[in-house]
Every structure is written in C-alpha cells, then in structure tokens.
Amino acid sequence: MGLIDSILGKASEVDGKKIRSDFENVLLENETVETAFAVSRQCLLFTDKRMIFMDVQGLIKSENAFTSVPYRSVVTFSANF
C-alpha cells in the first residue's frame, strides 16, 4: 500500500498471511483468510466464514474496533465497475 493510495483513500490488497497476526484474537481456530484490503488505518478481511472489519483507533494504535459479519447474514450488496 503506497502513501499516495492511503492519502487518497484507495484500498489496496494486502497479504492475508501477513495480516493474520493483527486478527489472531478474532479468527476462529479453523478459519482461513481468503483476501484482505487496507485503507490507511482500516482493514477489511474476507475469510472462508465471514467478513471482518478492523478500525484502528487512537493516535498510537492503542485500540482496535472489530466488526464481524457472517456471510449468511449478507442479504444484498452492490458493485460499481
């Protein structure tokens, strides 16, 4: 993820294996990371079971807020190409 992309708010794909350590307390024992995207201090992780959104709060990354959405709860979505 480049500095310019981060400033402009463009998401870039990150290696799911590298980011797994940030999510180790949230991931289930047999959950597999499929792909991950990051924008500045926010990250969206797609696993084989759910989507997990992480928002880093505080100036020194002292607190993380997680939101987990199981795929069975997703009823609609949209995509712009």
Side-chain angles (χ1 to χ4, degrees):
M1 174 171 56
L3 179 61
I4 300 300
D5 286 342
S6 178
I7 292 170
L8 295 176
K10 294 182 180 178
S12 60
E13 190 168 1
V14 293
D15 186 6
K17 293 176 184 173
K18 289 182 181 178
I19 204 162
R20 186 174 176 86
S21 63
D22 293 336
F23 288 87
E24 65 185 20
N25 294 332
V26 180
L27 292 173
L28 301 173
E29 189 173 308
N30 59 352
E31 195 167 16
T32 305
V33 176
E34 300 294 333
T35 189
F37 298 92
V39 177
S40 184
R41 298 163 54 105
Q42 300 172 344
C43 185
L44 180 62
L45 187 75
F46 291 92
T47 73
D48 59 340
K49 301 183 186 311
R50 59 192 169 145
M51 296 181 295
I52 305 170
F53 177 73
M54 179 180 71
D55 185 16
V56 178
Q57 300 172 346
L59 294 175
I60 55 172
K61 299 184 179 183
S62 59
E63 188 176 319
N64 296 334
F66 292 94
T67 303
S68 173
V69 180
Y71 291 131
R72 68 179 182 274
S73 298
V74 177
V75 292
T76 187
F77 69 94
S78 67
N80 296 321
F81 297 101

